[in-house]
Amino acid sequence: MKNTKAIFLIILGSFILATGFAFANDALDQARNPNLFNDKRGGSVGVNVRAELSAPIVSQPLAVNQEAPAEKPSPLKKAKEFVGNNFNQIMGAAVIGFLGFLVIGTGGAGLAVGLGAFAFFMLLKNL
């Protein structure tokens, strides 16, 4: 790797890290707010209020409470649930794996460092 390329990547990486940390607190506060995209009536923010208020009120007949048979979740649903529950650990491991790739220089080493970081994060989460 040429020196100019290395210097460019070091400066770019520092800039990306600095901007990420600069907005981290605001983003974390917004992510913890469950009502971020809901207004006080429970609808989404993008809905036209006049259209909501002028819509005719139609009474719906009450549905009979029937228990649906328990379905076995598909592998896609399991994967989505896993990623949803562990998104922070996955992203942290990806960043650490990318930094390992930049430092060591091979894709295999980056994957190994990232997987090791993910295993460590999952161990900490399960303790």
Side-chain angles (χ1 to χ4, degrees), residues 35-99:
N35 298 321
L36 181 64
F37 297 110
N38 293 335
D39 63 1
K40 293 181 180 174
R41 292 182 310 276
S44 67
V45 174
V47 175
N48 187 355
V49 176
R50 288 186 183 177
E52 259 185 14
L53 296 177
S54 65
I57 299 174
V58 178
S59 63
Q60 298 288 334
L62 296 175
V64 177
N65 189 6
Q66 297 177 354
E67 291 185 26
E71 295 181 19
K72 184 177 178 185
S74 68
L76 183 62
K77 286 184 181 180
K78 287 182 182 179
K80 284 184 180 180
E81 183 179 335
F82 178 80
V83 170
N85 292 338
N86 301 308
F87 184 75
N88 290 337
Q89 289 84 7
I90 292 170
M91 290 307 297
V95 169
I96 291 173
F98 180 69
L99 292 175

Side-chain angles (χ1 to χ4, degrees), residues 22-33:
F23 296 108
N25 288 334
D26 294 336
L28 185 62
D29 291 340
Q30 289 177 359
R32 288 183 180 161
N33 183 4

